[in-house]
Amino acid sequence: MAGDGSFFPEIQPIAFAGPESDNVLSYRYYDADEVIMGKKMRDWLRFSVCYWHTFRGNGLDPFGKPTINRPWDDGTESLDNALRRVRAAFEFFQKLGVDYYTFHDVDVSPEGATLQETFDNLDKVTDLMLELQAKTGIKLLWGTANLFSHPRYMCGASTNPDPLVFARAAAQVKKAIDVTHKLGGQGFVFWGGREGYAHIINTDMTREMGHYAQMLKMAVAYKKSIGFSGQILVEPKPREPMKHQYDYDAQTVLGFLHQHGLYDEVMLNIEPNHTQLAGHEFEHDIILTAQMGKLGSIDANTGSESLGWDTDEFIVDHARATLIAKAIIEMGGFTQGGLNFDAKVRRESTDVEDMFIAHIASIDALAKGLRNAVRLLEHGRLPAMLKQRYAGFDEGLGKQIEEGNSSLEALTQHCLDNDTEPPVLSGKQEKFQAVFNHYL
Ligand code: XLS
Ligand code: NI
Ligand code: NI
């Protein structure tokens, strides 16, 4: 084990035990090295544990104090505590059997009295992370800079009205890209929690968005200058903490990237709980970006229909997991992204084993989703039904429209020459839903 195996003495490495297993500390559907549709399950799903919830979450909520105390964490911001936490984290990743993890700079290492001291701390902690990566084979999916917790960022980081705050954010981004590169990370995420506003009356939106685009351009330029080959990602979210956030949803971000000439440089990291907050259904932004070739990675979580905030719950629903897996397979799998559990145990789930059970249950749901999606796609019935629905665009008049070879005049003439109402074609939603359920 990564450390001396002493952080989780009660937990054995989690193994595949098959669908009949009633052991919640085993996998029923996730058999990492099993090849399905030409790829190992681990390579289709590329599971990742996030550091912030799983190793820094303590159950604090706006109404109550922390509920969760971990035996390896003494609650201080000392370097020793940070280093011990890293050892616990790697043992957790290893026992769970995931290949990847993600982190913010401030999750892993304490901020110092000066910027230089903060950088030095991060160097020391990432040295240990690099050592444990080499020892365990666990890899960094992506890194990021936390540009939202510190009070200096209360009015935004890249969109702050004060250029000195922008500069400070830039320094933090540069360092976070440096350590991500050092650790061989496959991506770098921008989640703009404070990039938005609390009231429009004191906000110049177009200036702020322009500044944000400049930050992304600097990151792209810097990435190229140091030979960092990971993807730069933006993670949309419509609100929380700000009342309005600029990266509202996937379509908004894609339009923003286009506007600023960043479309080909930046991918999207989609979190379904954020998609739900934007008023869409869970799967909407994943399917949209997957089809457009812009789905870089997924923050695998879900919200509660009855709650209006980012509850970051683990996905356990097989239908939803199947929709995600289908989108991943249809885009040919991830290249540098994965399924990152940006999810937390409930504040009432205070046992150490709950950390394992939560991840195992979600890994298994997504693995079941993958198996379902493979059957659905290999069987071909649902894809054929979908293709049939649009068959009119495969030939003749439809093809001319789709390929841009028609005009209002030509179509008017066509309608006058064939002056009858188009036939009524059923949308067949219930049939599609019924067939989809065959594969769950
Ligand atoms: C918060 C975000 C955050 C990002 C990383 O809602 O999901 O956790 O994934 O900064
Ligand atoms: Ni996220
Ligand atoms: Ni979130």
Side-chain angles (χ1 to χ4, degrees):
M1 284 292 129
D4 50 11
S6 60
F7 297 101
F8 306 98
E10 317 283 289
I11 309 275
Q12 297 307 308
I14 310 303
F16 174 66
E20 300 310 316
S21 170
D22 57 11
N23 176 7
V24 290
L25 291 170
S26 72
Y27 292 121
R28 297 168 66 219
Y29 300 106
Y30 184 57
D31 188 5
D33 291 315
E34 184 181 331
V35 175
I36 51 178
M37 245 188 176
K39 242 193 243 197
K40 289 182 178 174
M41 291 187 90
R42 66 165 80 241
D43 296 328
W44 276 122
L45 298 166
R46 294 169 56 96
F47 289 123
S48 159
V49 170
C50 88
Y51 210 95
W52 52 101
H53 286 312
T54 301
F55 286 91
R56 302 310 306 272
N58 58 14
L60 182 87
D61 81 4
F63 306 95
K65 295 183 180 175
T67 55
I68 294 172
N69 295 301
R70 299 303 185 199
W72 56 84
D73 197 319
D74 65 16
T76 68
E77 283 299 318
S78 74
L79 200 54
D80 272 356
N81 194 31
L83 293 169
R84 191 166 52 246
R85 209 187 276 124
V86 167
R87 292 188 183 279
F90 272 80
E91 188 188 329
F92 178 78
F93 307 152
Q94 217 185 1
K95 283 196 161 162
L96 197 59
V98 296
D99 294 327
Y100 298 94
Y101 71 102
T102 55
F103 73 98
H104 301 87
D105 45 4
V106 306
D107 302 334
V108 294
S109 141
E111 288 183 83
T114 61
L115 185 60
Q116 188 59 55
E117 213 177 289
T118 301
F119 286 175
D120 294 344
N121 288 344
L122 197 52
D123 288 336
K124 284 182 201 135
V125 178
T126 52
D127 281 347
L128 177 63
M129 289 157 70
L130 190 61
E131 183 192 320
L132 295 181
Q133 284 187 189
K135 221 181 247 179
T136 61
I138 286 157
K139 299 179 278 282
L140 177 62
L141 190 67
W142 50 257
T144 185
N146 177 324
L147 304 175
F148 45 90
S149 294
H150 195 282
R152 81 173 74 88
Y153 297 129
M154 66 180 182
C155 297
S158 309
T159 61
N160 197 291
D162 180 355
L164 293 179
V165 177
F166 183 104
R168 181 68 188 225
Q172 207 187 319
V173 164
K174 176 184 175 297
K175 184 66 181 178
I177 293 178
D178 285 337
V179 298
T180 299
H181 184 43
K182 157 178 162 183
L183 295 168
Q186 301 188 22
F188 187 82
V189 165
F190 283 86
W191 169 63
R194 304 274 174 200
E195 316 299 12
Y197 59 78
H199 206 293
I200 193 65
I201 199 68
N202 65 353
T203 305
D204 187 331
M205 276 200 280
T206 48
R207 280 189 97 169
E208 290 200 359
M209 285 191 276
H211 301 160
Y212 179 40
Q214 292 305 332
M215 179 68 83
L216 291 176
K217 286 183 186 179
M218 288 180 200
V220 169
Y222 185 63
K223 156 191 154 162
K224 291 181 179 168
S225 78
I226 60 169
F228 172 56
S229 58
Q231 44 187 4
I232 302 281
L233 302 131
V234 166
E235 181 178 327
K237 187 175 182 182
R239 67 184 74 83
E240 196 204 7
M242 297 312 268
K243 178 173 169 173
H244 176 88
Q245 282 163 216
Y246 297 130
D247 297 327
Y248 197 91
D249 64 358
Q251 264 193 288
T252 308
V253 172
L254 290 171
F256 169 84
L257 295 175
H258 248 302
Q259 183 191 355
H260 294 283
L262 284 159
Y263 193 86
D264 294 331
E265 306 286 359
V266 177
M267 296 290 278
L268 271 64
N269 181 42
I270 300 296
E271 178 168 320
N273 200 159
H274 299 177
T275 308
Q276 293 170 312
L277 291 181
H280 306 298
E281 285 185 314
F282 172 88
E283 64 278 359
H284 176 271
D285 278 6
I286 288 178
I287 294 177
L288 176 82
T289 51
Q291 288 183 353
M292 294 180 78
K294 296 303 291 178
L295 178 61
S297 200
I298 294 176
D299 269 5
N301 71 7
T302 183
S304 278
E305 271 73 28
S306 57
L307 293 174
W309 65 91
D310 200 11
T311 55
D312 292 329
E313 293 169 42
F314 285 88
I315 297 168
V316 289
D317 181 276
H318 288 184
R320 287 181 162 174
T322 304
L323 284 170
I324 292 185
K326 178 171 171 287
I328 294 171
I329 297 171
E330 285 178 327
M331 72 170 191
F334 292 111
T335 49
Q336 295 183 300
L339 286 163
N340 174 51
F341 292 109
D342 188 352
K344 61 188 180 200
V345 293
R346 300 303 88 191
R347 76 192 294 268
E348 304 85 359
S349 302
T350 50
D351 292 344
V352 168
E353 79 159 14
D354 298 331
M355 292 167 60
F356 281 91
I357 294 170
H359 284 86
I360 293 165
S362 196
I363 286 174
D364 241 3
L366 289 156
K368 178 71 163 75
L370 180 71
R371 291 178 186 277
N372 293 345
V374 164
R375 277 192 295 119
L376 183 155
L377 292 170
E378 282 182 342
H379 194 192
R381 184 174 175 199
L382 205 60
M385 283 164 57
L386 187 64
K387 190 163 171 14
Q388 180 55 36
R389 191 158 186 238
Y390 294 88
F393 281 95
D394 291 338
E395 55 188 19
L397 173 127
K399 195 164 186 202
Q400 285 166 7
I401 295 173
E402 191 162 287
E403 293 176 349
N405 296 323
S406 196
S407 66
L408 293 184
E409 297 95 307
L411 293 174
T412 303
Q413 195 55 53
H414 176 90
C415 293
L416 289 172
D417 293 347
N418 305 273
D419 204 352
T420 50
E421 274 297 316
V424 175
L425 295 179
S426 169
K428 293 279 172 219
Q429 182 186 317
E430 298 80 1
K431 182 177 172 189
F432 277 79
Q433 289 176 300
V435 172
F436 178 78
N437 270 0
H438 288 183
Y439 302 98
L440 297 188

mmCIF file of all heavy atoms in Angstrom, residues 2 7 52 59 74 191 196 202 204 224 260 286 308 353 412:
data_model
loop_
_atom_site.group_PDB
_atom_site.id
_atom_site.type_symbol
_atom_site.label_atom_id
_atom_site.label_comp_id
_atom_site.label_asym_id
_atom_site.label_seq_id
_atom_site.Cartn_x
_atom_site.Cartn_y
_atom_site.Cartn_z
ATOM 1 N N ALA A 2 0.219 2.365 -0.325
ATOM 2 C CA ALA A 2 0.960 3.601 -0.553
ATOM 3 C C ALA A 2 1.745 4.049 0.675
ATOM 4 O O ALA A 2 2.927 4.339 0.601
ATOM 5 C CB ALA A 2 -0.012 4.709 -0.952
ATOM 6 N N PHE A 7 -3.942 3.497 7.450
ATOM 7 C CA PHE A 7 -5.058 4.445 7.562
ATOM 8 C C PHE A 7 -6.422 3.761 7.508
ATOM 9 O O PHE A 7 -7.377 4.228 8.104
ATOM 10 C CB PHE A 7 -4.956 5.523 6.474
ATOM 11 C CG PHE A 7 -3.727 6.367 6.604
ATOM 12 C CD1 PHE A 7 -2.623 6.139 5.792
ATOM 13 C CD2 PHE A 7 -3.670 7.372 7.561
ATOM 14 C CE1 PHE A 7 -1.488 6.907 5.932
ATOM 15 C CE2 PHE A 7 -2.532 8.143 7.698
ATOM 16 C CZ PHE A 7 -1.432 7.909 6.883
ATOM 17 N N TRP A 52 -11.181 17.324 -2.780
ATOM 18 C CA TRP A 52 -11.832 18.332 -1.932
ATOM 19 C C TRP A 52 -12.968 17.750 -1.106
ATOM 20 O O TRP A 52 -13.019 18.005 0.105
ATOM 21 C CB TRP A 52 -12.281 19.560 -2.743
ATOM 22 C CG TRP A 52 -13.103 19.325 -3.956
ATOM 23 C CD1 TRP A 52 -14.453 19.468 -4.072
ATOM 24 C CD2 TRP A 52 -12.642 18.945 -5.254
ATOM 25 N NE1 TRP A 52 -14.857 19.198 -5.359
ATOM 26 C CE2 TRP A 52 -13.769 18.882 -6.109
ATOM 27 C CE3 TRP A 52 -11.389 18.652 -5.805
ATOM 28 C CZ2 TRP A 52 -13.680 18.530 -7.457
ATOM 29 C CZ3 TRP A 52 -11.299 18.304 -7.144
ATOM 30 C CH2 TRP A 52 -12.432 18.243 -7.949
ATOM 31 N N GLY A 59 -18.489 17.969 6.459
ATOM 32 C CA GLY A 59 -19.906 17.973 6.813
ATOM 33 C C GLY A 59 -20.451 19.336 7.221
ATOM 34 O O GLY A 59 -21.639 19.469 7.539
ATOM 35 N N ASP A 74 -5.648 15.994 11.874
ATOM 36 C CA ASP A 74 -5.703 16.641 13.201
ATOM 37 C C ASP A 74 -6.394 18.009 13.148
ATOM 38 O O ASP A 74 -6.394 18.747 14.139
ATOM 39 C CB ASP A 74 -4.295 16.737 13.813
ATOM 40 C CG ASP A 74 -3.366 17.646 13.010
ATOM 41 O OD1 ASP A 74 -3.862 18.439 12.170
ATOM 42 O OD2 ASP A 74 -2.140 17.565 13.220
ATOM 43 N N TRP A 191 -13.244 26.330 -12.970
ATOM 44 C CA TRP A 191 -14.638 26.443 -12.536
ATOM 45 C C TRP A 191 -14.789 27.838 -11.934
ATOM 46 O O TRP A 191 -14.134 28.161 -10.949
ATOM 47 C CB TRP A 191 -15.020 25.364 -11.502
ATOM 48 C CG TRP A 191 -16.349 25.702 -10.915
ATOM 49 C CD1 TRP A 191 -17.541 25.780 -11.596
ATOM 50 C CD2 TRP A 191 -16.633 26.101 -9.567
ATOM 51 N NE1 TRP A 191 -18.539 26.196 -10.754
ATOM 52 C CE2 TRP A 191 -18.018 26.401 -9.503
ATOM 53 C CE3 TRP A 191 -15.868 26.238 -8.418
ATOM 54 C CZ2 TRP A 191 -18.632 26.831 -8.332
ATOM 55 C CZ3 TRP A 191 -16.483 26.669 -7.255
ATOM 56 C CH2 TRP A 191 -17.853 26.947 -7.215
ATOM 57 N N GLY A 196 -18.971 35.987 -11.833
ATOM 58 C CA GLY A 196 -20.365 36.312 -12.079
ATOM 59 C C GLY A 196 -20.694 37.513 -11.220
ATOM 60 O O GLY A 196 -19.804 38.282 -10.876
ATOM 61 N N ASN A 202 -24.082 47.066 -10.158
ATOM 62 C CA ASN A 202 -22.674 47.464 -9.974
ATOM 63 C C ASN A 202 -21.735 46.638 -10.852
ATOM 64 O O ASN A 202 -20.550 46.501 -10.537
ATOM 65 C CB ASN A 202 -22.269 47.374 -8.494
ATOM 66 C CG ASN A 202 -22.291 45.944 -7.962
ATOM 67 O OD1 ASN A 202 -22.737 45.032 -8.661
ATOM 68 N ND2 ASN A 202 -21.813 45.754 -6.753
ATOM 69 N N ASP A 204 -20.209 45.499 -14.770
ATOM 70 C CA ASP A 204 -20.048 45.685 -16.210
ATOM 71 C C ASP A 204 -19.788 44.297 -16.808
ATOM 72 O O ASP A 204 -18.649 43.824 -16.837
ATOM 73 C CB ASP A 204 -18.879 46.638 -16.490
ATOM 74 C CG ASP A 204 -18.771 47.006 -17.974
ATOM 75 O OD1 ASP A 204 -19.168 46.168 -18.827
ATOM 76 O OD2 ASP A 204 -18.299 48.116 -18.266
ATOM 77 N N LYS A 224 1.053 25.967 -23.656
ATOM 78 C CA LYS A 224 1.859 25.660 -24.844
ATOM 79 C C LYS A 224 3.338 25.959 -24.598
ATOM 80 O O LYS A 224 4.209 25.207 -25.029
ATOM 81 C CB LYS A 224 1.344 26.447 -26.050
ATOM 82 C CG LYS A 224 -0.031 25.945 -26.485
ATOM 83 C CD LYS A 224 -0.567 26.675 -27.698
ATOM 84 C CE LYS A 224 -1.931 26.084 -28.067
ATOM 85 N NZ LYS A 224 -2.654 26.898 -29.047
ATOM 86 N N HIS A 260 -14.636 34.386 -28.363
ATOM 87 C CA HIS A 260 -13.288 34.844 -28.019
ATOM 88 C C HIS A 260 -12.185 34.026 -28.691
ATOM 89 O O HIS A 260 -11.031 34.069 -28.257
ATOM 90 C CB HIS A 260 -13.125 34.847 -26.492
ATOM 91 C CG HIS A 260 -14.014 35.860 -25.817
ATOM 92 N ND1 HIS A 260 -13.732 37.204 -25.794
ATOM 93 C CD2 HIS A 260 -15.208 35.717 -25.201
ATOM 94 C CE1 HIS A 260 -14.710 37.853 -25.155
ATOM 95 N NE2 HIS A 260 -15.618 36.966 -24.789
ATOM 96 N N ILE A 286 -24.205 16.720 -20.915
ATOM 97 C CA ILE A 286 -23.275 15.638 -21.274
ATOM 98 C C ILE A 286 -23.543 15.189 -22.700
ATOM 99 O O ILE A 286 -22.625 15.083 -23.521
ATOM 100 C CB ILE A 286 -23.419 14.437 -20.300
ATOM 101 C CG1 ILE A 286 -22.829 14.806 -18.936
ATOM 102 C CG2 ILE A 286 -22.732 13.185 -20.867
ATOM 103 C CD1 ILE A 286 -22.947 13.715 -17.886
ATOM 104 N N GLY A 308 -32.789 22.992 -4.486
ATOM 105 C CA GLY A 308 -32.313 23.886 -5.535
ATOM 106 C C GLY A 308 -30.845 24.209 -5.453
ATOM 107 O O GLY A 308 -30.418 25.253 -5.918
ATOM 108 N N GLU A 353 -15.981 3.951 6.685
ATOM 109 C CA GLU A 353 -16.401 3.003 5.640
ATOM 110 C C GLU A 353 -17.412 3.634 4.690
ATOM 111 O O GLU A 353 -17.531 3.213 3.537
ATOM 112 C CB GLU A 353 -16.938 1.689 6.237
ATOM 113 C CG GLU A 353 -18.341 1.763 6.738
ATOM 114 C CD GLU A 353 -19.052 0.398 6.859
ATOM 115 O OE1 GLU A 353 -18.404 -0.668 6.807
ATOM 116 O OE2 GLU A 353 -20.277 0.431 7.007
ATOM 117 N N THR A 412 -40.515 26.861 -51.308
ATOM 118 C CA THR A 412 -41.858 27.378 -51.583
ATOM 119 C C THR A 412 -42.393 26.741 -52.871
ATOM 120 O O THR A 412 -43.532 26.259 -52.917
ATOM 121 C CB THR A 412 -41.811 28.909 -51.736
ATOM 122 O OG1 THR A 412 -41.250 29.466 -50.552
ATOM 123 C CG2 THR A 412 -43.206 29.484 -51.960
#
